[in-house]
Amino acid sequence: MKRLTTLVSTGMLLLFGCAARPPTQALCSLDVAREKRPVLSAEEWFDLLLHGFDRKERTLARPTLDCSGSPVVWQEPVADECREAGPEAELLPMSKQLSDEDLVMTTLRADLRLVWVIARRYANGEALGPVGLVERTDKGIVVRALGSLRSFPLDSELRLERSGDTTLLVAEGQQCSLDAPSVCRRFARILPMRNGRFFSESVMSKDGKCLGPAWFPFAREQVLKLPNGMHRKVQQTSTLKFTPEGVSINEEVSMDDLNPKLPAMPPRAYRRAQSERKLRVENNRLVATDASMWVRLMELELLAGATPLEPVTVVQAKSTP
């Protein structure tokens, strides 16, 4: 089997039109026999998406590069730049070898797949690595779109959705607590695809201010300590609905007051709220009609003197020896 790689610069990518459908150019490719294509090994998928991967040792080059030669990196928005910061987590040391568990694939149709190779892991259970839109052709396996993805690989799901003329990569996964019984919560990442690349972008307001990451918890909670000593439990649930006009984000937030001195006392309902906000691609930006309701209500609580208590401990990821 012969490996072919095409290095694509930013300037060259701009020559191609908007990626409303899988681009026709091949960023990277594997020339394999037709009869072997349906049963590629994990090492072959790793070799396809990672530059400098050693198949025999199952090791990747340092620094980690995708097959186009671009660094596999991720930058979350921080609090002093955006209204909501991205999730914080310690990046674990690189594994000595990749395993079959470091490969995530979703079949979109018989000749088209989304393939994610996990190159690094975070302490909160997230993972980072190159993700590619991969197509089978008469000449072999080719990568039509490429980027870096940070998401939860546990019970993960990759798919493509549309917002206007832009294709979106949607990556869902879940995070589970160490408590017994374990509580699992699901999250989604959204990455627009343009000119054969998947981009990690912040969500912006219409006036150009950063609202936060394109990271959407389907459920989350936080306990606040109020100035009077009471505790306030804040819980949010949300759903995403994709339409040709954009993404509808439906959110519900509940707040209940607890007396830490009387733990047997049932919680007292304090507030219930729900809203729908819109997210769409405008002028090559992810634009939302407003910040998350969670953010808006938490800002009011913190302004009134509430203090966040420690969040729920989550499963700690382990690096492969």
Side-chain angles (χ1 to χ4, degrees):
M1 180 168 55
K2 183 180 179 182
R3 177 189 175 90
L4 304 175
T5 302
T6 303
L7 299 182
V8 184
S9 69
T10 303
M12 293 175 64
L13 287 172
L14 293 176
L15 297 176
F16 297 96
C18 180
R21 63 190 63 182
T24 56
Q25 76 272 21
L27 302 181
C28 319
S29 64
L30 283 176
D31 183 9
V32 295
R34 176 182 293 273
E35 61 274 10
K36 190 176 181 181
R37 287 179 210 150
V39 289
L40 290 184
S41 66
E43 290 90 349
E44 289 170 322
W45 288 115
F46 296 154
D47 191 25
L48 174 64
L49 290 180
L50 286 167
H51 180 74
F53 177 75
D54 187 320
R55 274 198 215 176
K56 182 177 180 181
E57 300 296 331
R58 277 196 166 197
T59 56
L60 42 82
R62 304 188 186 198
T64 307
L65 306 175
D66 65 29
C67 62
S68 74
S70 297
V72 177
V73 295
W74 191 274
Q75 181 65 50
E76 290 281 17
V78 295
D80 61 350
E81 297 176 351
C82 295
R83 196 162 171 182
E84 180 182 16
E88 296 182 3
E90 178 188 0
L91 189 61
L92 299 177
M94 291 181 65
S95 300
K96 293 181 180 179
Q97 294 180 316
L98 297 186
S99 70
D100 290 358
E101 294 180 353
D102 295 319
L103 180 65
V104 177
M105 287 192 295
T106 297
T107 300
L108 303 179
R109 62 178 192 236
D111 61 345
L112 199 64
R113 290 182 177 184
L114 285 166
V115 183
W116 180 30
V117 174
I118 296 173
R120 300 291 301 270
R121 293 183 184 268
Y122 293 84
N124 67 344
E126 286 183 287
L128 171 65
V131 60
L133 178 61
V134 180
E135 183 181 15
R136 268 193 217 132
T137 70
D138 292 338
K139 296 182 179 180
I141 312 294
V142 297
V143 178
R144 297 302 190 190
L146 189 63
S148 295
L149 172 64
R150 174 179 172 178
S151 186
F152 288 100
L154 181 62
D155 195 21
S156 61
E157 175 189 340
L158 306 176
R159 67 181 188 275
L160 296 180
E161 298 283 358
R162 293 290 295 277
S163 175
D165 294 330
T166 303
T167 298
L168 304 175
L169 169 63
V170 181
E172 291 187 18
Q174 68 183 25
Q175 177 190 48
C176 296
S177 70
L178 291 172
D179 301 332
S182 179
V183 176
C184 295
R185 295 185 173 87
R186 200 158 181 82
F187 301 79
R189 291 270 191 191
I190 294 180
L191 286 74
M193 183 175 76
R194 304 188 190 95
N195 308 312
R197 297 292 303 191
F198 295 114
F199 290 93
S200 166
E201 297 179 353
S202 299
V203 177
M204 311 297 290
S205 65
K206 288 185 177 295
D207 59 0
K209 296 180 180 178
C210 179
L211 298 178
W215 175 81
F216 304 94
F218 293 155
R220 56 177 160 175
E221 67 178 48
Q222 175 71 64
V223 177
L224 303 173
K225 183 178 180 180
L226 305 180
N228 62 5
M230 294 286 286
H231 288 180
R232 181 162 292 160
K233 187 176 184 179
V234 186
Q235 296 176 295
Q236 177 203 25
T237 59
S238 62
T239 60
L240 302 180
K241 181 180 180 181
F242 294 86
T243 68
E245 293 74 32
V247 185
S248 294
I249 308 168
N250 292 281
E251 301 172 310
E252 294 186 5
V253 176
S254 64
M255 295 184 174
D256 297 291
D257 287 349
L258 310 166
N259 190 336
K261 297 181 180 179
L262 299 172
M265 180 179 292
R268 178 172 60 87
Y270 172 72
R271 175 177 287 177
R272 300 288 185 270
Q274 64 180 41
S275 72
E276 180 183 19
R277 60 190 181 115
K278 301 290 187 178
L279 176 70
R280 58 181 290 116
V281 178
E282 297 180 1
N283 299 320
N284 288 331
R285 296 189 308 174
L286 283 172
V287 178
T289 51
D290 205 342
S292 165
M293 174 173 283
W294 169 276
V295 171
R296 287 178 277 150
L297 293 179
M298 289 291 283
E299 286 174 344
L300 293 176
E301 294 298 317
L302 297 177
L303 188 63
T307 304
L309 299 179
E310 288 296 322
V312 177
T313 302
V314 301
V315 172
Q316 299 295 301
K318 296 180 180 180
S319 58
T320 305

